[in-house]
Amino acid sequence: MTALEALRVPAELLARVPAEQRGAGRDDVRLLVSRGQEVSHHAFRELPGQLRAGDVLVVNTSPTLAAAVNGRVGGERVVVHFSTRGEDGRWAVELRRPDGTGATVPRRGGPAGAVVRLPDGSRLVLEEPLGGPRGYGPGVLGATGGARLWWARVPVGVAGLLRRYGRPIRYGYTERDQPLSAYQTVFAVDSPDGSGSAEMPSAARPFTARMVAALVSRGVQFAPVTLHTGVASAEAHEPPYPERFAVPRTTAWLVNAARAAGGLVVAVGTTSVRALESSVGADGVVREAAGWTDLVVTPQRGVRVVDGLLTGLHEPEASHLLMLEAIAGRAALQSGYAQALRHRYLWHEFGDVHLLLPEPERDTPNC
C-alpha cells in the first residue's frame, strides 16, 4: 500500500451540496496549487494569477445528461444509469438499487435477457456485459462480483426519455437532489444528437463567465475538446473504459502553437487529459481526431503534451490518481493530498480543486 492509498478522507470533508449553496457562488471554492512538492493555498478566484499569457486551458464541452431513470425488473425497483451510447444504437447502462434517501447502492449486473420497464411504458433489454468481442475493452466488474455495466437495447429515443423522466446521477455523499443546472459547466455545448456525459466533467464546475473573461484578459487561451464521460469508475481500482471524444483542428493548432512558444498546456479535468492525449502522436504533435478512446494514462505510459492539470480531489483508491501521478509525480501528489487533508479541503464534484503544475525552474548559480 502506498502512502497515498493509506490516506483516509473523513466524512465531513465530502462536499454534500454545491458551492453556491455553501457560500457566495459556484466559484466560491478553494484552490490547492502544487508546483512539484511546493504547495500553496488560494481561493479559486485567484486562478488567473497562477497562469501566464500564452498558457492554454483545455476544457471539455460535453453537457451533462439527466442520466438516472427509475425502472423495474419484475417486482424489483431499480435506477437505470444511462452511461454511453454505442455506435450500433445500444446503450451501456448500470442498474442500481435505490437506498431510500434518493441515492443508490450497487446491484449485481444482469442477467442477460433481463427486461427493465421504464416510466414511459417502454422496455429496456440487457444483452451482454460491456466488453468482450465488440472491442469496447474489458468487462467492468463491480464489487458485487457481476458485470456492472451492460449493453442494452432501448426501443425509444433515449434523449427524449431523459429529458422527461431523467435526473442527474447522485451518489450517497450528497445531501439531496439538485437540478440539472447544478451539474452543467460554463463550457457545456449541446450535442445535435443529444449525446452528453452521464456525469459532470466536474473540474470545470467552478468556472464562471467572469473567470473566463479574467483569464482571457490575462492572455490565457481556451482550447475546447469533447469527451462524453460514462458512469464514473466508482469501484476501487476500476479502470476507465472506452468513451467518445473529439479534438477539433483549431484546438490541435492552439496546443501545438502554445508548446512551440513555451506556454503551458493545462487540462481542466481528467476527461480533457484523456481526449487530448488520445490525439497526440509519438512525435508529440496534436492532430485533429475523433472516435472512441480506450487510452488509460498511467505513470508507465506518461503524458506527451499535457503539462498541468486542474482537477477535483479524488478518493485515494481511485484509478484517476494514476493519471495525476503521470502528470505530477507521486511525491507531488502525496504532498498535495496530505496538505488537502490537513487544511480540510472538500472532496468530490461539489468540492474544492487542485492545480498541478510543473516544478518551478530555479536560477542556476554562477560558477
Side-chain angles (χ1 to χ4, degrees):
M1 178 181 293
T2 67
L4 193 60
E5 288 174 323
L7 293 177
R8 289 294 173 263
V9 182
E12 63 268 21
L13 297 188
L14 306 181
R16 301 191 181 282
V17 296
E20 57 271 28
Q21 296 175 20
R22 303 190 304 263
R26 65 163 55 201
D27 61 349
D28 191 9
V29 298
R30 290 193 288 170
L31 173 67
L32 179 73
V33 178
S34 293
R35 297 178 183 269
Q37 295 185 58
E38 295 182 5
V39 178
S40 58
H41 305 277
H42 307 267
F44 180 74
R45 296 186 184 101
E46 298 173 45
L47 175 63
Q50 303 300 315
L51 301 170
R52 302 170 303 178
D55 291 344
V56 171
L57 287 173
V58 181
V59 297
N60 187 0
T61 62
S62 177
T64 307
L65 302 175
V69 175
N70 292 334
R72 284 186 174 273
V73 179
E76 178 191 8
R77 291 193 305 128
V78 298
V79 176
V80 184
H81 287 177
F82 285 86
S83 180
T84 304
R85 183 183 181 277
E87 296 293 346
D88 59 2
R90 298 187 302 173
W91 277 78
V93 301
E94 178 189 24
L95 301 189
R96 294 176 67 92
R97 289 195 177 95
D99 69 355
T101 71
T104 60
V105 295
R107 173 192 182 277
R108 187 179 180 88
V115 176
V116 183
R117 299 196 306 278
L118 299 172
D120 63 350
S122 64
R123 300 189 174 200
L124 173 155
V125 181
L126 301 182
E127 293 193 345
E128 60 182 344
L130 184 69
R134 296 182 183 268
Y136 288 92
V140 181
L141 302 182
T144 53
R148 188 165 69 90
L149 292 167
W150 283 65
W151 286 114
R153 289 283 177 193
V154 188
V156 296
V158 170
L161 176 76
L162 299 186
R163 280 195 299 268
R164 186 170 182 184
Y165 297 103
R167 60 187 181 277
I169 289 175
R170 175 190 158 199
Y171 287 114
Y173 52 79
T174 56
E175 187 174 286
R176 56 182 177 270
D177 285 344
Q178 300 289 342
L180 184 59
S181 59
Y183 291 86
Q184 299 292 7
T185 75
V186 71
F187 304 112
V189 177
D190 288 339
S191 301
D193 64 354
S195 297
S197 289
E199 297 184 4
M200 171 178 54
S202 57
R205 190 182 190 277
F207 282 87
T208 62
R210 179 177 296 181
M211 171 61 75
V212 172
L215 286 160
V216 170
S217 295
R218 189 172 177 82
V220 176
Q221 301 181 84
F222 286 85
V225 298
T226 301
L227 187 136
H228 296 311
T229 67
V231 172
S233 299
E235 312 295 345
H237 305 293
E238 183 177 296
Y241 50 89
E243 293 168 317
R244 290 169 57 197
F245 82 104
V247 175
R249 182 178 304 174
T250 52
T251 288
W253 185 90
L254 276 172
V255 170
N256 292 330
R259 299 189 76 219
L264 294 179
V265 176
V266 180
V268 178
T270 59
T271 61
S272 296
V273 176
R274 198 180 196 199
L276 193 62
E277 289 287 325
S278 297
S279 71
V280 61
D283 58 0
V285 176
V286 179
R287 297 176 174 84
E288 180 182 13
W292 290 84
T293 177
D294 59 0
L295 176 65
V296 179
V297 178
T298 65
Q300 292 72 34
R301 188 267 187 190
V303 287
R304 295 173 178 167
V305 68
V306 171
D307 300 304
L309 172 64
L310 179 71
T311 184
L313 292 161
H314 303 275
E315 292 287 355
E317 302 88 355
S319 61
H320 285 315
L321 290 180
L322 292 174
M323 179 187 290
L324 274 61
E325 186 179 333
I327 294 169
R330 179 174 295 182
L333 208 55
Q334 289 175 344
S335 176
Y337 270 61
Q339 288 284 328
L341 286 173
R342 186 173 302 122
H343 291 268
R344 302 186 67 75
Y345 280 70
L346 296 179
W347 257 251
H348 292 307
E349 68 266 30
F350 296 142
D352 298 313
V353 287
H354 188 189
L355 178 62
L356 296 151
L357 292 172
E359 189 170 0
E361 294 182 2
R362 302 186 184 277
D363 294 332
T364 302
N366 294 326
C367 297

